[in-house]
Amino acid sequence: MALIPSQILRVAILLSYFSILCNYKAIDMPAHQTYGGSWKFLTFIDLVIQAVFFGVCVLTDLSSLLTKGSASMEQERQLRKLISLRDWMMAVLAFPVGAFVVTMFWTLYVYDRDLVYPRLLDNFIPQWLNHGMHTTVLPFIIIEMRTTHHRYPSRTCGLFAVCMFAVGYVVWMCWVHSMTGVWVYPLLEHIGPMARILFFVCLTALISVYYLLGEILNNYIWDSSKSKLKG
């Protein structure tokens, strides 16, 4: 039996994301006042994705609780829709985007932090908030994967949706640059046009790899659990 019920964990994680988002939006940073505001940063978009995802998880838990023992076919149909939305968000957005943000951020940070998180930001963002945005995302999503079985879409549909998200974000970054003359991330200022194209292609490929990794990890966790139950 779990030490903490998964429903309580989801509520706690959802509240933590609300706290992180509120504290981040309260920071008076120059970048927040420029074109695109916080929405030009993948980190912020990922935080919104995680908050919405865990909100859907909590809503699914509440609906499941209310539907239990009910003979209403309509309530069961609505619950199935919520579960499908929850599973789709986990597969296509929450895991691949969350894993990408965490691993890419800390890889570049260790290599040269000024490429992704200039030291100037230390004057605005406290360390706990930085970890809330760039570290705890991954363990939170793995906890959710471990406590709940999520049904992945077909691999073709899933990869297509993930690639569309990645391409959409690349187009958004290019649009912000065309409007402001400044790239969202300092790294892009230091490389040439061909290197940027290669970077964008690698970004799309890597996030697709994380989709596949999430699918494999989800299947491994739940196939192993089924084997233990049978044993």
Side-chain angles (χ1 to χ4, degrees):
M1 183 176 178
L3 294 176
I4 303 175
S6 58
Q7 295 87 345
I8 302 299
L9 277 173
R10 292 189 191 102
V11 171
I13 292 171
L14 177 61
L15 291 175
S16 75
Y17 277 122
F18 280 153
S19 174
I20 291 167
L21 282 166
C22 288
N23 278 277
Y24 179 74
K25 290 298 290 182
I27 296 172
D28 185 22
M29 285 198 305
H32 289 177
Q33 314 306 322
T34 57
Y35 185 83
S38 305
W39 290 97
K40 58 181 172 283
F41 300 111
L42 187 57
T43 292
F44 180 77
I45 294 172
D46 178 49
L47 288 175
V48 173
I49 287 171
Q50 302 299 331
V52 172
F53 168 68
F54 278 100
V56 171
C57 288
V58 171
L59 187 58
T60 303
D61 289 337
L62 288 173
S63 297
S64 180
L65 187 64
L66 294 173
T67 305
K68 191 177 292 183
S70 171
S72 171
M73 295 298 292
E74 178 62 22
Q75 284 186 334
E76 290 185 8
R77 189 172 66 85
Q78 295 299 327
L79 177 59
R80 285 196 296 270
K81 283 184 178 179
L82 271 176
I83 291 172
S84 295
L85 175 61
R86 179 199 68 188
D87 292 351
W88 186 88
M89 286 194 69
M90 174 66 164
V92 172
L93 294 173
F95 185 88
V97 178
F100 177 86
V101 166
V102 172
T103 54
M104 181 62 76
F105 175 83
W106 287 112
T107 299
L108 291 173
Y109 188 97
V110 169
Y111 176 73
D112 182 357
R113 64 169 294 177
D114 289 324
L115 294 176
V116 67
Y117 193 80
R119 286 174 173 78
L120 175 67
L121 293 179
D122 290 339
N123 299 323
F124 300 96
I125 302 176
Q127 281 296 313
W128 73 266
L129 187 55
N130 180 29
H131 285 293
M133 297 188 299
H134 297 117
T135 306
T136 58
V137 171
L138 192 53
F140 282 168
I141 206 67
I142 290 176
I143 287 171
E144 169 61 22
M145 183 177 282
R146 180 64 185 85
T147 56
T148 305
H149 181 213
H150 297 272
R151 292 184 181 277
Y152 269 60
S154 70
R155 185 166 291 181
T156 301
C157 291
L159 284 173
F160 178 77
V162 168
C163 289
M164 286 301 97
F165 174 85
V167 170
Y169 183 66
V170 168
V171 171
W172 171 232
M173 280 196 295
C174 293
W175 177 258
V176 170
H177 177 261
S178 72
M179 297 298 290
T180 64
V182 178
W183 287 103
V184 174
Y185 300 103
L187 166 67
L188 298 172
E189 301 282 0
H190 293 85
I191 58 179
M194 291 305 296
R196 282 192 206 106
I197 293 172
L198 180 60
F199 177 80
F200 294 149
V201 170
C202 290
L203 181 154
T204 304
L206 184 57
I207 205 167
S208 299
V209 168
Y210 281 125
Y211 171 85
L212 295 173
L213 180 62
E215 182 184 40
I216 292 167
L217 184 59
N218 182 68
N219 290 339
Y220 173 77
I221 289 171
W222 291 99
D223 287 347
S224 297
S225 298
K226 288 176 184 176
S227 298
K228 288 179 182 177
L229 288 173
K230 288 178 181 178

